[in-house]
Amino acid sequence: MTANNSSQKQWHTLSPLSIIYFVIHFIVRFVKDGLLNMAPAFVIFLTQVEDKLYWGIVAAAGLSVLLIVYAVLYYLNFRYKLTDHEVILRKGVFKKERVTLNFAKIQNINLAIPFYFQPFQLVKCTFDAAGSAQQEVALPGIKSQLAQVMRQNVFSYKESHTTANMPTADDEQNTVSEKPILTLTNKEVAKFGLMSGMMFLVLAAIAPFIEHVVDYSKDQFVGPLAAFYGGFIDSQDVAMIVAAVSVVAAMVFLFVAASVLGAFLRFYNFELYFENEKLKRISGLLERHQMSLSKSKIQTVEIKKNWVGMLLNRYIVSCKQVENGHCGKAKKGQAFILPVLTYAQLMNAMTLCWQTVDLKRIAFTPISGAFWRKNWALFCVLPSTIVVGFVYNTSGVFAWPLWLAVLIVTAFMCWLRCKRYGIYSDGEQVFVRTGFVGKTVSVFYIHKIQKISYTQTPLMKRAKLVTLTIQLASGRVRVPYLPEALVLPMVDEALYKAESSNLGWL
Amino acid sequence: MFSNSQISEQTIPKLAQLDFAPLDTYATREALISTFVFVLPISIVVFCVAMFAAKAPNHILMMIGGGLALLNTYIAWLMHAIVKSTGVALREHDLVLKRGVFWKKTTAVPFNRIQHIETHRNPVERKLGLSSIKFFTAGGMGADLELNGLSVERASRMRQYILSKEQHHDSE
């Protein structure tokens, strides 16, 4: 330990500015975890409450006061200390918590600098115990210099207690001075905003209130706009249509802008580093967030090119870690996302985080066409026939042109979905292709399977087809209607590899 | 010393050629009792509601009664068929389960992927001397493999065998 050995054995407090961090942190946690639970209350508020603006302001003000009081109490109760071999944390307002993290368990020490910490040389220091069930320790609002000293002490301890064949964590130290292997321009980050589908999430969120939104828009925007356009357009009907189109266009623009803003908040000034078999990403507008991932911890790499990505010719790569909460040996990890990559960048990224592979040359085995025919017959032809029959029976109208159009469109959709499915295995890694309009290719090592199963119905058995399901620590992969002759040897080989390989799955 | 001898594809054990052992004799009885503890009261309540609360005419009541009787018979047949179709195979390195009447599913879990094992005994199982085992891997949120209708002794033996294999793997 260094000169301030004695002071490190005392309890320390954070900077009062950490209250801002706690406020933002609790808001983010509320949005992520609590918003869905609050949905019924929102529905009641929007549908039942008369004076929405007044009560909305009252509720927002009440919640804000509660949040600030809680953040201040959290700050006052937050204490940490470093001994010569562990970091200890005391926190909590109603539920007191004490976290002890041994230096030997620390994998990474990540430093993030939110914009409100920057003028005061403060940082958020996170001791990451990835790969074990230990909790991580985050210290928001400590002096940058102190964080560096703590980091150095931890690495010195690890160095002196690490045997030669164990991985060390000190590869973190030099990466900031290294040149990034990938950076993204603002234009590319904006493209990710379009690809991310966040606007559809917003649309899905407002779906239950769509009637209110439409009524409110009609009263507040379409009516006044139609009156305004009436000054230039003679026909009142045409003015109404133009006003409605303007409002819809403005809403679409707002959704797109929200998606792009979300992408900037997350991936602004994106920098990717690779050193000592570790990927490290630094990005973010308000908070420079740093995320590291060991190559060996990647369970699955998912390469996505959705319909917007097809138009822009860009790919999104997600490196998935263990996703499971009840796994004793592993801690749940976030997906490490590399957004908006060109094909050349994708190839480089694959070489870094996986192995060299040319996705365009993979000879995927397609699934049987019986899959789309079954789906079409069962989920499209049968229900539409019942509906058409019911309408004919009750009103005497036989809407055959509409029925025919529905059948043709759904047949094409079912065929397209079937066409996207494909699987390829070289005996070491497995590539699975899925999708609808766009495509997603998932690749994983066959020895990392957790469970494998295949399913057959009597009709599938007659056609010698099976549905293959592979459970990985990062999620489940399912490919329907594959040839039996392909799947059965693949299952045997996967089990053989999982059971005989000396390579770990974690 | 490092060795890298070639493995013939023909020597890799084949899942499709396994002999599966059936469940215990009382497994069907347990499945039927556990299911009809819920299904039968619901059927009776539906019939009573139609008869007393909705005051349905006799021919409708007969249709509802007939439909419920058919449904209960079908469920009984299905439970019986599911138990009969279930088979377990223990190998040196994995556990294989086949199950299903219409959707026949074969699932294999390597021992070296099992995180923990849970043993359960509900009141019916306790009465019939049966036990259930759940196997958890790092994949999925619930149990990856669940075996019901095993005798207590067989479940215990199976659990011990798998745990010993796990320990053997961990020590390697």
Side-chain angles (χ1 to χ4, degrees), chain A residues 324 326-329 447 449-458 471-473 488 491-492 495-496 498-499 505, chain B residues 7 12-15 91 93-94 102-110 112-113 115 137-142 144:
Chain A
N324 188 354
H326 69 71
C327 171
K329 284 181 188 168
H447 73 266
I449 62 155
Q450 299 290 319
K451 178 178 89 170
I452 192 160
S453 58
Y454 59 89
T455 314
Q456 259 184 329
T457 62
Q471 186 72 57
L472 297 156
L488 297 187
V491 170
D492 292 331
L495 286 170
Y496 171 71
E499 290 157 6
W505 64 267
Chain B
I7 297 285
I12 294 177
K14 290 179 174 54
L15 210 64
R91 299 199 291 183
H93 298 284
D94 52 39
F102 301 112
W103 284 269
K104 290 181 187 297
K105 187 174 185 180
T106 307
T107 306
V109 179
N112 58 5
R113 297 293 183 267
Q115 294 291 322
T137 71
M141 291 312 291
D144 289 277

Side-chain angles (χ1 to χ4, degrees), chain A residues 316-366:
Chain A
I316 297 172
V317 173
S318 299
C319 301
K320 292 186 168 180
Q321 304 182 68
V322 176
E323 260 186 8
N324 188 354
H326 69 71
C327 171
K329 284 181 188 168
K331 195 182 81 169
K332 186 177 168 173
Q334 275 181 291
F336 189 99
I337 295 173
L338 307 175
V340 281
L341 305 180
T342 60
Y343 191 71
Q345 287 171 330
L346 171 70
M347 292 299 95
N348 287 339
M350 286 301 287
T351 307
L352 288 178
C353 63
W354 195 253
Q355 52 177 279
T356 307
V357 56
D358 189 351
L359 289 173
K360 287 183 179 168
R361 289 179 185 273
I362 294 171
F364 285 102
T365 304

Side-chain angles (χ1 to χ4, degrees), chain A residues 253-268:
Chain A
F253 177 77
L254 272 177
F255 288 139
V256 172
S259 285
V260 172
L261 180 68
F264 271 108
L265 286 173
R266 203 169 162 200
F267 291 115
Y268 177 75

Side-chain angles (χ1 to χ4, degrees), chain A residues 6 54 91 118 126 184 186 188 214 219 382 408 437 446 458:
Chain A
S6 59
Y54 173 75
K91 59 180 181 176
Q118 209 156 21
T126 307
L184 292 176
N186 290 343
E188 291 297 312
V214 170
D219 293 345
L382 190 65
I408 291 169
V437 179
I446 203 163

